[in-house]
Amino acid sequence: AQKVTQAQTEISVVEKEDVTLDCVYETRDTTYYLFWYKQPPSGELVFLIRRNSFDEQNEISGRYSWNFQKSTSSFNFTITASQVVDSAVYFCALSEARNAGNNRKLIWGLGTSLAVNP
Amino acid sequence: GAGVSQSPSNKVTEKGKDVELRCDPISGHTALYWYRQSLGQGLEFLIYFQGNSAPDKSGLPSDRFSAERTGGSVSTLTIQRTQQEDSAVYLCASSLGGPFGAEAFFGQGTRLTVV
């Protein structure tokens, strides 16, 4: 069955520390997409990244980087030199291409709450 | 509109009353989701619409919950005979749909409080 696990419920770091948020997924399909979303205290979920299952290259966007490892079914997210504004709940999600049509939906992890303290 | 719009942003209702929550997706998005998020919890899937296909209602917690999507655009989530445990933020999202993963864009949610 499809499943997304974010084992870290809460993480607290001091500003400027690096922090990695873990995401492990389960799927029987070879074609799928993985996502990360950020939910700041304001509540609105903000899309961060989409990665398809055929592209295992790591991605870097400013202080954010993502490490996709199919061998371990993981899609971890690292924030370098964290800032107070990074404080939010971060969600990992999985979308399976085989569910195209009637039953396709994103499968969500429970989120990791990150607190970056000054 | 530019983004997903939900109304009302806040709703306080008495236990036993019916409520309707509205979602205006991004124009052209064929997929529409409803989620529920209780305080400090993750996202609980409720229902999914994709084009003209029959909706996936597998996440609706009880028959008091229903949703419809008119004309492939606006969606309404209805909760009948509300209970206190229905109190949560109800989030709507839309995406382009299609055979491959498309990111979902979320509205700001409706905070429902049942007193």
Side-chain angles (χ1 to χ4, degrees):
Chain A
Q2 316 100 318
K3 186 178 179 182
V4 175
T5 301
Q6 294 180 255
Q8 304 146 308
T9 306
E10 295 180 357
I11 301 176
S12 181
V13 300
V14 176
E15 207 170 15
K16 297 184 184 177
E17 283 185 30
D18 297 348
V19 58
T20 295
L21 310 180
D22 297 334
C23 174
V24 174
Y25 61 93
E26 295 177 28
T27 178
R28 289 168 291 182
D29 283 355
T30 57
T31 302
Y32 51 89
Y33 281 76
L34 295 161
F35 302 79
W36 275 95
Y37 281 79
K38 175 182 180 179
Q39 187 177 37
S42 61
E44 186 169 354
L45 277 124
V46 177
F47 166 78
L48 295 178
I49 189 171
R50 177 183 62 180
R51 173 55 51 87
N52 76 58
S53 53
F54 296 109
D55 182 3
E56 285 194 74
Q57 279 192 333
N58 290 335
E59 181 148 345
I60 299 175
S61 176
R63 297 184 296 106
Y64 294 172
S65 62
W66 290 269
N67 183 359
F68 177 30
Q69 302 248 346
K70 288 181 77 170
S71 60
T72 56
S73 296
S74 65
F75 187 43
N76 296 338
F77 173 31
T78 297
I79 302 175
T80 303
S82 60
Q83 300 176 1
V84 173
V85 294
D86 296 328
S87 297
V89 180
Y90 291 87
F91 291 94
C92 181
L94 164 73
S95 173
E96 293 186 328
R98 72 178 176 94
N99 284 334
N102 206 27
N103 286 317
R104 188 168 158 276
K105 62 181 181 282
L106 290 170
I107 311 299
W108 295 83
L110 294 180
T112 297
S113 178
L114 173 65
V116 181
N117 302 300
Chain B
V4 177
S5 176
Q6 291 187 247
S7 60
S9 54
N10 278 285
K11 175 74 176 178
V12 179
T13 190
E14 291 181 355
K15 178 181 171 181
K17 295 278 178 73
D18 298 352
V19 294
E20 281 191 355
L21 312 180
R22 177 189 167 104
C23 173
D24 253 295
I26 292 173
S27 178
H29 280 191
T30 58
L32 187 147
Y33 304 78
W34 281 99
Y35 294 93
R36 180 168 70 174
Q37 189 174 31
S38 301
L39 187 63
Q41 301 297 310
L43 293 166
E44 177 187 2
F45 167 75
L46 297 177
I47 189 169
Y48 164 66
F49 297 90
Q50 171 58 61
N52 295 320
S53 301
D56 176 355
K57 304 179 181 180
S58 59
L60 295 178
S62 77
D63 58 8
R64 296 187 295 105
F65 288 74
S66 63
E68 61 178 27
R69 188 177 185 192
T70 53
S73 182
V74 172
S75 177
T76 302
L77 176 68
T78 301
I79 309 173
Q80 295 178 310
R81 305 180 302 281
T82 51
Q83 304 294 313
Q84 287 187 329
E85 60 263 29
D86 299 334
S87 296
V89 176
Y90 289 81
L91 292 164
C92 176
S94 71
S95 74
L96 283 171
F100 301 110
E103 62 265 34
F105 295 82
F106 283 80
Q108 292 196 316
T110 294
R111 182 175 298 277
L112 175 66
T113 305
V114 182
V115 298

